[in-house]
Amino acid sequence: MKRYINTLVLFSLFVLTVSCSDDFLDRPPQSQIIPEDYLYEESQLAAYTINLYGILPSHGNWSFGTFGIDSDTDNMADLSYDNKYVPGQWRVPQTDGSWSFTNIYNINYFLNTVLPRWKNGEITGSENMIEQYIGEAYFFRAFEYFNKVQALGDFPIVKKNYADDKEVLIDVSKRTPRSEVVRFIISDLDSAAAMMQNTSPDGNKNRLSKYSALLVKSRVALYEASWLKNFKGTAFVPNGSGWPGAAKNYNQGWNYEAGSIDAEIDWLLDQAMEASKEVADAFSLTPNNGVLQQTVTDSQNPYFDMFSDTDMSGYDEVLLWRDYDQGLGVVHNVPVEAMRGNATVGLTKGLVDSFVMENGLPIYASGSGYVGDDYIADVRSNRDGRLWLFLKQPEQINVLYNVNAGTHVTPVEPIPEIINRIYATGYAIRKGLNYDGAQANNGQGYTGSIVFRATEAYLNYIEASYLKTGSINGTASSYWIAIRERAGVDTDFNKTIAATSMALEAAGDWGAYTAGQLVEPTLYNIRRERRNELFAEGLRWMDLKRWRAIDQLMTQNYHIEGFKLWGPMQNWYDSGELTYETGTATVSSPNRSTYLRPYEKTGGELVYDGYSWAMAHYLDPIAIQHFLITAEGADLSTSPIYQNPGWTLKANDGAQPID
């Protein structure tokens, strides 16, 4: 994709106050090809906004793409643990971090330039397409702001680009309470939905549409409703106990008196339900014929193919996808990684155990028919069709066509290569696998990458409506049945709920908790359905945060585990390969667990005793650079920016306890 606009590299909107010699903030983005009269034609609007699509998640090269984003959660693990699970090791940075305005600056430049010209009739081209591209800009500003809310919570609302005036820039750096920011995001998404077309204007679903905006609106509203509900009264919600914005008097007219948070939650749930229903009712789920293709004569399975096709435009539930082109050099390595090792990202035992049997019963329930996990084939037997379809087992066929065409083809799934650090947990997945060996030229894959699919709207509605009413209404029931039917699971979700033991589910699912307490079985099974449908699609961390589902790690460490190595499967490996002596260990000791623990081999790992947590880690720390820029002299407390709860104003400090 040709770059029409060069992204400005800024520490933040305010880093430029250090030097007043250049008015970068009131200039257009720098590029040799942008003339003074740029953004007067429809084609120029199209070129500018297509450059913003890099904000969205997609497959990057030399990785497992979007399928690896869920790593470092209770769903997936790679070969390196994340310091956020070691209190004291995630520290306040001196520079960089999530506090930045580069994308916001570029989007505001577009809107501030184009909107007046459009209203004055100064832009030539199709009116519908001009509105489409303006709608896309509103969408991207909303999406970028949602990223900021997830990372930082309260954040400045900046709608225009300012001249290089230090006092002005310091003033606009004041953080706005998160719920006001979310209202701003929803307003931008409403504008985007109103201006963008019902279907992608390129006819291929490679550009945004109204329904992408509505899906993200439902995501944002559900996120904030969940956050406010689950963190109510704490320092993580405006005017909660210890909220740092109180010291700066940053309520800005928003009413956070008693009861108003509940009213805001209700409003947000209404927004989530309305938007998600509009999407869910407009798009059907891709069929799952229950076939795992292993020969060229087997029927293809559309549900499987949807995640790795080279053309995803024909799948109704796919709202937006990224197209790749080998001829243009727009490529990635996901097909190679899907054939072998998933780029060292593996599923956890906790995720695998969460899938119910095809009869709808949890694996531990009487009469479930679960045959155990001595072998990966046993794990897949008679399970939820999503696990059966997407969990790989040795000796399955990975390539059906052009077997010798690629440089890095893995024709048959090997035993999990845990010794040479290719398979992290022993459990590998098939999402992203394409049966064409020509896709396995190293780094030259061109399968599509799903950005948004309508199934999320089904799930958003189920959860939002239950949080709103405390019951499963007819619409939610119909959506839930449709998801389970496509998954090949008994559609009676009440059967699953009745057989659920929260104590047993809690062993492997952080989503069983909110604020350190077990949730009730119906809400848990809504969360379970979401986990099982959307696993390896990059939404798990977002869900865990909004559910406040990690508090329990502050008092009880959690051990990341993979497959049952210390059972019959140990015989897959040669004698001497499986060593667990200190200093020479290749795997974790059976004395610790019969299941492989990828971070507990040598005893020197900081998470050798399991993952832990600090309350402050629900939000990122703000780098000291941004306080220095906006403070009076060296006194950082004079900055209008305030640090997030539990983080200090000293670089390299770890998280502090929160009262």
Side-chain angles (χ1 to χ4, degrees):
M1 187 186 307
K2 185 176 181 181
R3 286 263 173 203
Y4 289 87
I5 311 298
N6 293 330
T7 300
L8 292 174
V9 180
L10 305 174
F11 285 111
S12 74
L13 179 63
F14 315 108
V15 71
L16 298 172
T17 63
V18 173
S19 171
C20 296
S21 60
D22 290 314
D23 297 331
F24 281 103
L25 291 177
D26 57 1
R27 294 186 190 177
Q30 304 298 292
S31 172
Q32 294 179 348
I33 66 170
I34 301 179
E36 290 296 322
D37 59 353
Y38 193 65
L39 297 178
Y40 277 100
E41 299 176 6
E42 171 198 327
S43 62
Q44 295 169 345
L45 272 61
Y48 195 111
T49 52
I50 199 67
N51 193 59
L52 299 173
Y53 277 72
I55 294 173
L56 300 172
S58 61
H59 296 335
N61 215 339
W62 312 116
S63 73
F64 199 29
T66 58
F67 301 117
I69 296 173
D70 283 343
S71 185
D72 300 318
T73 68
D74 59 340
N75 275 10
M76 302 179 77
D78 55 24
L79 294 174
S80 302
Y81 56 83
D82 193 312
N83 276 343
K84 65 174 173 276
Y85 300 115
V86 189
Q89 291 301 305
W90 188 9
R91 300 173 181 176
V92 177
Q94 178 66 39
T95 60
D96 301 323
S98 299
W99 187 277
S100 66
F101 293 81
T102 304
N103 289 328
I104 294 169
Y105 171 87
N106 289 328
I107 298 165
N108 281 342
Y109 171 77
F110 178 90
L111 290 171
N112 294 172
T113 302
V114 170
L115 285 173
R117 294 175 182 175
W118 171 58
K119 291 176 182 177
N120 292 332
E122 298 173 1
I123 301 177
T124 60
S126 163
E127 183 69 13
N128 287 341
M129 295 310 300
I130 293 169
E131 291 185 8
Q132 167 72 25
Y133 302 134
I134 294 173
E136 289 183 11
Y138 276 119
F139 175 91
F140 285 119
R141 187 166 69 177
F143 197 88
E144 181 67 6
Y145 261 95
F146 184 45
N147 288 337
K148 301 303 181 187
V149 166
Q150 292 178 78
L152 297 166
D154 307 339
F155 195 73
I157 295 177
V158 180
K159 299 181 183 179
K160 64 179 183 178
N161 297 330
Y162 294 89
D164 190 13
D165 184 301
K166 183 173 182 178
E167 290 186 6
V168 172
L169 295 175
I170 289 175
D171 184 64
V172 299
S173 71
K174 294 177 179 178
R175 299 177 71 180
T176 305
R178 59 179 300 129
S179 292
E180 291 184 64
V181 182
V182 169
R183 288 257 181 171
F184 170 64
I185 293 169
I186 289 175
S187 175
D188 267 4
L189 289 170
D190 284 340
S191 296
M195 301 190 78
M196 292 193 297
Q197 298 181 25
N198 287 353
T199 58
S200 180
D202 66 349
N204 203 40
K205 298 185 180 180
N206 291 145
R207 293 200 79 131
L208 290 159
S209 69
K210 164 187 172 181
Y211 289 103
S212 293
L214 290 172
L215 176 65
V216 174
K217 178 181 177 180
S218 74
R219 180 189 294 182
V220 171
L222 180 58
Y223 184 94
E224 186 64 10
S226 305
W227 184 280
L228 293 179
K229 181 179 178 66
N230 296 325
F231 287 90
K232 183 180 178 181
T234 74
F236 295 86
V237 171
N239 272 13
S241 177
W243 176 58
K248 301 290 185 179
N249 194 27
Y250 283 176
N251 291 342
Q252 299 187 12
W254 188 264
N255 177 22
Y256 287 106
E257 300 302 324
S260 64
I261 292 292
D262 291 335
E264 186 68 5
I265 292 169
D266 282 345
W267 180 81
L268 288 164
L269 292 174
D270 286 339
Q271 296 298 304
M273 290 169 64
E274 291 170 9
S276 58
K277 187 176 187 301
E278 190 167 352
V279 176
D281 288 348
F283 298 92
S284 59
L285 301 182
T286 301
N288 173 13
N289 61 11
V291 174
L292 172 60
Q293 190 180 11
Q294 290 287 277
T295 71
V296 294
T297 59
D298 289 341
S299 298
Q300 291 181 255
N301 188 333
Y303 184 45
F304 169 82
D305 291 343
M306 178 177 68
F307 293 99
S308 57
D309 210 332
T310 56
D311 183 356
M312 297 173 169
S313 61
Y315 299 93
D316 196 46
E317 77 177 85
V318 174
L319 304 182
L320 181 71
W321 65 287
R322 182 179 177 185
D323 195 6
Y324 292 79
D325 191 312
Q326 191 177 44
L328 295 176
V330 183
V331 290
H332 58 78
N333 205 42
V334 169
V336 169
E337 306 295 358
M339 287 183 188
R340 184 185 181 204
N342 299 164
T344 73
V345 179
L347 302 189
T348 63
K349 175 182 183 292
L351 173 62
V352 170
D353 286 353
S354 72
F355 287 89
V356 299
M357 306 299 291
E358 63 182 0
N359 60 17
L361 293 175
I363 58 175
Y364 51 76
S366 176
S368 72
Y370 182 53
V371 296
D373 54 8
D374 281 348
Y375 291 99
I376 296 175
D378 294 339
V379 173
R380 295 175 61 247
S381 180
N382 300 318
R383 296 293 289 279
D384 180 322
R386 293 167 292 200
L387 185 68
W388 177 85
L389 184 63
F390 292 116
L391 178 63
K392 301 174 78 175
Q393 73 180 56
E395 300 184 359
Q396 288 179 327
I397 302 300
N398 285 332
V399 183
L400 294 174
Y401 314 102
N402 300 317
V403 176
N404 298 314
T407 59
H408 285 64
V409 173
T410 306
V412 178
E413 181 66 16
I415 64 170
E417 299 175 72
I418 58 174
I419 308 302
N420 55 5
R421 295 175 61 81
I422 293 177
Y423 286 61
T425 67
Y427 285 135
I429 65 167
R430 194 174 283 104
K431 276 187 178 178
L433 177 70
N434 186 291
Y435 286 121
D436 185 355
Q439 289 286 342
N441 282 311
N442 205 30
Q444 296 297 307
Y446 50 94
T447 55
S449 173
I450 297 175
V451 181
F452 301 124
R453 63 184 181 106
T455 321
E456 184 192 344
Y458 287 59
L459 294 159
N460 289 351
Y461 183 90
I462 295 169
E463 185 176 347
S465 63
Y466 185 76
L467 292 176
K468 173 81 173 176
T469 67
S471 63
I472 304 297
N473 65 27
T475 300
S477 178
S478 69
Y479 294 162
W480 204 343
I481 288 170
I483 292 171
R484 286 170 70 105
E485 184 174 36
R486 197 261 295 274
V489 177
D490 188 321
T491 58
D492 185 0
F493 51 82
N494 286 311
K495 176 182 179 182
T496 306
I497 293 169
T500 295
S501 165
M502 290 308 302
L504 295 177
E505 298 292 353
D509 193 337
W510 296 350
Y513 291 94
T514 286
Q517 302 298 314
L518 293 175
V519 301
E520 48 83 22
T522 300
L523 179 57
Y524 170 72
N525 276 284
I526 291 171
R527 293 180 179 183
R528 183 215 300 269
E529 199 70 57
R530 185 178 182 90
R531 185 188 198 190
N532 294 167
E533 177 63 32
L534 299 177
F535 79 97
E537 295 185 44
L539 299 179
R540 183 61 173 177
W541 182 238
M542 175 189 76
D543 286 341
L544 292 170
K545 288 181 67 173
R546 69 183 178 88
W547 292 334
R548 192 179 167 184
I550 323 177
D551 286 28
Q552 67 280 1
L553 270 63
M554 293 189 289
T555 56
Q556 183 175 352
N557 287 10
Y558 184 90
H559 298 272
I560 294 292
E561 295 185 327
F563 75 155
K564 190 176 181 179
L565 171 61
W566 298 110
M569 286 188 286
Q570 68 181 285
N571 296 321
W572 287 348
Y573 304 93
D574 292 336
S575 176
E577 285 186 303
L578 303 180
T579 62
Y580 49 89
E581 299 297 327
T582 301
T584 60
T586 58
V587 294
S588 56
S589 168
N591 297 324
R592 296 189 67 76
S593 175
T594 57
Y595 298 92
L596 177 65
R597 292 185 173 181
Y599 309 137
E600 302 178 26
K601 297 179 182 178
T602 67
E605 300 95 341
L606 292 178
V607 293
Y608 186 73
D609 292 324
Y611 277 2
S612 188
W613 187 248
M615 194 70 184
H617 291 184
Y618 280 110
L619 291 175
D620 293 5
I622 299 173
I624 298 304
Q625 171 83 21
H626 309 299
F627 295 97
L628 286 169
I629 292 169
T630 55
E632 297 175 8
D635 185 357
L636 302 190
S637 67
T638 63
S639 168
I641 306 171
Y642 47 86
Q643 185 61 282
N644 274 328
W647 298 105
T648 74
L649 293 178
K650 183 179 178 181
N652 212 38
D653 267 4
Q656 305 299 306
I658 298 175
D659 295 332

